[in-house]
Every structure is written in structure tokens, then in C-alpha cells.
Amino acid sequence: MKFGEKLRQLRLEKGFTQEEVASAVNVSRRTYIGYEQEGRYPRKRDLYSRLAQVLDTETSYLLTEDEEFVSQASDKYGNLSLIHISEPTRPLYIS
């Protein structure tokens, strides 16, 4: 499920209007509509946390569009943050 679809589904489940969510996270209604309907994403990471708090969900749920992968990884490796899942292992070079 895409980011905007998740926002819409969670908002409707909570019975909020777009205006209420936008106001609660301190963005304009137009900006929020861009997230929900136009495939736009917040530029600031802290906005994901505010959206998650208002919509009563985990930030990681909003940050990923492949829940099946995250669910399988969590089952296999425990509760991992997206940083663990998404960042490749990098060799450390000491010069």
C-alpha cells in the first residue's frame, strides 16, 4: 500500500477530516492533500512521526510500502527498525 493510501485509510478509520489531520501536524490542508492524493511525501522526517502519532500508528508503517517484506523480516529477525532493514552493510575502511 502506498503512503497516501495509508494516510487516507488511517484518517478515515479515526474519523478525521483532511483539515483536522493537517492542522494537528501543522501543515496546510493543500500540503496534506498532496500526501494523500497526489503521491507526495513529507520532506522532513519528523513529520512522519507526527502523522503516526495523530493517526495512532507506527512511524515505520508510514515509511515503508512493502509491509510483507517488513513483516517477514520481523518474524525472522525480531522487531527491526527500517534503518536495519533498508541500509546495506558498508565495509569500514580506516585510512
Side-chain angles (χ1 to χ4, degrees):
M1 186 180 303
K2 300 285 185 192
F3 175 69
E5 294 169 333
K6 291 178 186 182
L7 289 181
R8 184 174 195 284
Q9 178 185 17
L10 291 166
R11 177 180 60 79
L12 293 175
E13 285 174 6
K14 301 295 179 202
F16 295 142
T17 65
Q18 291 173 332
E19 182 68 39
E20 289 171 328
V21 176
S23 178
V25 298
N26 201 29
V27 298
S28 70
R29 180 174 175 265
R30 182 71 208 121
T31 297
Y32 180 80
I33 289 171
Y35 301 151
E36 196 174 285
Q37 296 178 1
E38 298 171 5
R40 297 181 185 188
Y41 294 85
R43 292 183 184 172
K44 297 182 180 178
R45 186 164 175 92
D46 69 314
L47 187 52
Y48 288 96
S49 298
R50 291 185 294 182
L51 284 164
Q53 185 177 21
V54 168
L55 297 171
D56 193 28
T57 192
E58 296 292 325
T59 304
S60 61
Y61 174 69
L62 296 178
L63 288 171
T64 183
E65 294 183 351
D66 190 354
E67 292 84 23
E68 184 177 343
F69 170 75
V70 173
S71 177
Q72 290 173 355
S74 292
D75 289 346
K76 187 171 182 178
Y77 302 108
N79 191 12
L80 302 173
S81 71
L82 286 179
I83 292 169
H84 292 108
I85 295 170
S86 64
E87 288 201 9
T89 304
R90 297 183 188 133
L92 179 64
Y93 297 103
I94 300 174
S95 46

